[in-house]
């Protein structure tokens, strides 16, 4: 899927998919012929619409040769982290960098507290932190309604966790965990 995004600052773009980490070609693994056809069509569509460029957000596993053969170049601006949790805790802990383990110990020592977002009031608190972050980064934020709908649709199915970090009664961070 490609979405046309117009901006005075960044020009005309086709993005798959804006405001998300993933969005590459929807094909079965190893189907280079289909990927090439989709990329050719994306290039043609960009030309027809006068787009300055096409941005395809795939994961690290997406083979880049198909893209490069059609003039695309790799941009490593976005990162996605996946952690396989069906292993012993000490094995997972041992894979973390020393700095990460030290940061976790420091948070525990300073009584940083985890707060589960279980209601709309805490969701609003998460959203306030989110707005501060997007403002600092200069990114356009999603609406509160977006988060309310996501939480309503995915929370009851146990597919999302939204957490806040609290220090001395103040919310200092937050994270959305999508489970699959």
């Amino acid at each position: 899927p490609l979405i046309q995004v117009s901006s005075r600052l960044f020009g005309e773009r086709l993005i798959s998919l804006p405001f998300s980490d993933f969005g590459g070609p929807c094909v079965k693994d190893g189907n280079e012929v289909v990927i090439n056809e989709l990329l050719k069509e994306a290039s043609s569509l960009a030309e027809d619409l006068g787009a300055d460029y096409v941005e395809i957000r795939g994961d690290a596993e997406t083979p880049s040769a198909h893209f490069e053969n059609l003039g695309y170049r790799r941009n490593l601006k976005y990162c996605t982290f996946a952690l396989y949790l069906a292993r012993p805790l000490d094995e997972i802990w041992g894979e973390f960098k020393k700095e990460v383990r030290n940061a976790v110990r420091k948070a525990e020592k300073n009584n940083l507290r985890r707060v589960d977002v279980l209601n709309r009031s805490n969701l609003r608190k998460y959203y306030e932190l989110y707005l501060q972050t997007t403002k600092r980064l200069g990114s356009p934020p999603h609406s509160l309604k977006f988060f309310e709908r996501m939480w309503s649709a995915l929370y009851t199915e146990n597919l999302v966790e939204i957490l806040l970090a609290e220090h001395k009664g103040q919310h200092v961070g937050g994270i959305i965990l999508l489970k699959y």
Side-chain angles (χ1 to χ4, degrees), residues 42-91:
S43 296
S44 175
L45 185 59
E47 190 175 317
D48 291 348
L49 295 173
D52 299 306
Y53 66 91
V54 176
E55 183 177 319
I56 298 174
R57 297 182 181 177
D59 58 19
E61 306 300 317
T62 304
S64 61
H66 305 294
F67 296 88
E68 290 165 1
N69 289 340
L70 291 167
Y72 289 85
R73 60 187 161 94
R74 186 174 283 265
N75 181 343
L76 301 175
K77 187 164 86 172
Y78 298 96
C79 296
T80 298
F81 303 94
L83 180 61
Y84 182 66
L85 297 175
R87 301 176 293 155
L89 183 58
D90 58 337
E91 184 181 317

Side-chain angles (χ1 to χ4, degrees), residues 4 8 11 27 43 56 65-66 80 89 93 134 167 169:
Q4 184 177 8
R8 289 183 188 157
V27 298
S43 296
I56 298 174
H66 305 294
T80 298
L89 183 58
W93 181 253
T134 55
H167 184 253

